[in-house]
Amino acid sequence: MSDQAAGLRAYASQRRDKASLVTIGHPSPQAVTAICERLASLSGQAWETLPLAVGEVNAAQRTSPHWGIWVASGAEGLQRAYRELKRWSQHERLPPLLVIRDPVGSGDMPLDNLVETARRFLAIELVVDPAEWLAKTRPTSERR
């Protein structure tokens, strides 16, 4: 048992310099690269994404303020994201979610309807701007 604990401590010490963005859905590699680079430039910290499926949330992930949702391009992507939000809202109380999109084609569908529908019917806050999202999810001790 102590070997397992030592392994977990070693793993955690390697990851101290990285912030994790828990993601609903499975962002494309291009979207992961783009959002991690954008968050790193805004926060000065390295980022990684941790995709999840419903029911696989551990206590540390559940308490993390850094969550996002993958929204694929097109009407189908918006519909899929709403279904995911609805499913997740039945299992978890979600923090403000960063909208993650592909850098190419991300302007093909406005997100206003999805953002408003999530807020109004599911009580979920979606944030499109990474800088605004970071300000909302930063620990209170770091806000000024």
Side-chain angles (χ1 to χ4, degrees):
M1 191 66 136
S2 64
D3 289 341
Q4 183 181 15
L8 289 172
R9 280 192 300 278
Y11 176 73
S13 69
Q14 293 171 353
R15 295 173 36 101
R16 278 197 189 132
D17 60 335
K18 278 194 175 180
S20 296
L21 174 60
V22 178
T23 59
I24 295 172
H26 301 283
S28 70
Q30 298 85 358
V32 168
T33 299
I35 199 64
C36 288
E37 286 175 356
R38 180 73 174 125
L39 291 172
S41 72
L42 291 167
S43 69
Q45 214 173 1
W47 287 78
E48 65 181 348
T49 60
L50 302 174
L52 296 174
V54 173
E56 293 181 3
V57 182
N58 65 36
Q61 293 162 329
R62 187 171 282 119
T63 59
S64 172
H66 302 114
W67 281 57
I69 183 163
W70 164 241
V71 180
S73 297
E76 186 178 304
L78 291 171
Q79 292 167 352
R80 190 175 322 119
Y82 181 76
R83 284 191 301 270
E84 286 288 322
L85 287 170
K86 190 172 183 179
R87 188 174 329 150
W88 274 92
S89 70
Q90 295 169 354
H91 298 279
E92 302 290 332
R93 186 173 190 282
L94 299 171
L97 298 173
L98 176 62
V99 174
I100 304 167
R101 301 197 73 190
D102 270 323
V104 177
S106 63
D108 66 343
M109 293 288 289
L111 296 172
D112 297 345
N113 285 342
L114 179 63
V115 170
E116 180 60 25
T117 302
R119 183 193 62 75
R120 187 171 177 199
F121 295 107
L122 303 175
I124 297 172
E125 182 180 7
L126 299 181
V127 183
V128 178
D129 178 35
E132 180 184 340
W133 175 81
L134 277 172
K136 289 178 183 279
T137 61
R138 199 171 327 150
T140 318
S141 61
E142 294 179 21
R143 293 182 193 164
R144 302 221 186 246

